[in-house]
Amino acid sequence: MLKSFLMFLFMWESTAYLICDKKSGSLKQIDAGNGQVYGVNDEGAIYTWNVNQWVQVPGSLTHVTVGPAGVWGVNSQNVIHKLVAGSWAQMSGFLNQIDAGGPQFVSGTNKSDDVVCLNRNAAIPAKEGSALPWINIPGKLKYYSCGTKSCWGVNSDDDIYFRTDVVTDSCVGTQWQQITGKLSMIEVSTEDSVYGVNSAGELYKRDGISCDNPTGTTWKKVAIQGVLVKHVSLDLGTVWLITKDGSILTCGQ
């Protein structure tokens, strides 16, 4: 028992440090992908980062995502939208968390913690009025995020899971593999780096991820002095953070 306990501590105690810059504005959720950044604030206003400033995007969402499958979001009624030719088009289905970071497929969770995904042959051409063939993935998660080669999620108990055998043309995968640790949200970049935040506002990065070992080896705590985090996203070597008070930070990996 002692040996197992010490091993658990070892898997969480390695620490890295980030130097971050504070950006203007306040957001509750942010997503970075494909060289773009989108976020929403407490009032549902949508913003994108453009030429070193936030530019408001018409519409109202509670969660927004950007990635190889485009820009998608959900509103306060859990209605799904996709940005098509500069305007929000309503899609079929209902989600409260959505992710476009997979290889042109979309995934997410609904208010019952059901997990779903939409293969790229339906996600890319999706437009207003499309009857989308959302696929149910067995299991329950409150947050689910994919990169180009891996998908990770957390459930209502903050348990962490990796979805095996997810590939470009089949977003469903085959089974869940539980990963040691506890996180309240998790994000996978298009480069397949994995970061997460726990209920105490601590930030963690998954180390040891490779093609041969897609689940990695250990969690490394990432310390930012005096900062408690509630949301993380990352793209092109930049980590974007939303702090507990809504401040926006950018940090180098």
Side-chain angles (χ1 to χ4, degrees):
M1 178 65 74
L2 178 60
K3 182 178 179 181
S4 298
F5 178 70
L6 291 174
M7 179 60 73
F8 178 80
L9 286 178
F10 171 76
M11 293 181 73
W12 282 87
E13 283 305 312
S14 179
T15 303
Y17 295 87
L18 287 181
I19 297 176
C20 305
D21 294 320
K22 186 176 181 179
K23 301 297 185 184
S24 61
S26 176
L27 295 173
K28 73 170 184 178
Q29 182 260 327
I30 196 166
D31 198 53
N34 262 18
Q36 302 176 79
V37 182
Y38 280 78
V40 295
N41 66 13
D42 287 333
E43 289 73 43
I46 312 159
Y47 292 89
T48 185
W49 185 252
N50 186 18
V51 194
N52 295 319
Q53 64 179 345
W54 293 108
V55 176
Q56 188 167 358
V57 178
S60 178
L61 296 173
T62 56
H63 193 103
V64 66
T65 181
V66 57
V71 183
W72 295 65
V74 295
N75 65 16
S76 58
Q77 286 77 47
N78 297 329
V79 176
I80 304 166
H81 291 79
K82 179 187 178 185
L83 196 60
V84 179
S87 298
W88 293 107
Q90 184 174 329
M91 301 287 110
S92 62
F94 297 90
L95 295 172
N96 61 348
Q97 180 263 324
I98 193 165
D99 186 88
Q104 297 187 326
F105 63 70
V106 179
S107 55
T109 62
N110 65 20
K111 63 181 181 179
S112 300
D113 288 352
D114 298 319
V115 189
V116 300
C117 68
L118 183 69
N119 279 320
R120 66 175 181 170
N121 60 353
I124 296 303
K127 59 184 180 181
E128 186 86 34
S130 298
L132 300 180
W134 292 100
I135 305 168
N136 183 261
I137 302 173
K140 295 284 186 178
L141 296 176
K142 65 177 178 179
Y143 203 101
Y144 188 54
S145 177
C146 294
T148 56
K149 297 177 182 177
S150 66
C151 295
W152 296 66
V154 295
N155 67 13
S156 58
D157 293 323
D158 290 351
D159 297 322
I160 307 164
Y161 289 90
F162 174 88
R163 187 67 177 172
T164 62
D165 301 318
V166 176
V167 295
T168 299
D169 292 315
S170 179
C171 59
V172 177
T174 56
Q175 62 184 351
W176 296 109
Q177 179 180 342
Q178 187 169 357
I179 306 297
T180 301
K182 293 280 188 178
L183 294 171
S184 56
M185 65 84 57
I186 196 165
E187 278 286 340
V188 188
S189 75
T190 49
E191 307 99 80
D192 289 287
S193 295
V194 178
Y195 279 75
V197 178
N198 68 13
S199 59
E202 297 170 323
L203 179 67
Y204 285 88
K205 178 185 179 182
R206 188 67 175 174
D207 268 358
I209 292 175
S210 66
C211 291
D212 293 332
N213 186 19
T215 59
T217 53
T218 58
W219 290 106
K220 178 181 286 185
K221 186 177 180 179
V222 183
I224 308 118
Q225 187 173 5
V227 172
L228 295 178
V229 179
K230 69 177 178 180
H231 201 92
V232 60
S233 189
L234 54 150
D235 184 50
L236 301 178
T238 298
V239 179
W240 292 79
L241 302 175
I242 306 299
T243 67
K244 290 283 190 179
D245 66 1
S247 296
I248 307 161
L249 304 178
T250 58
C251 322
Q253 289 194 68

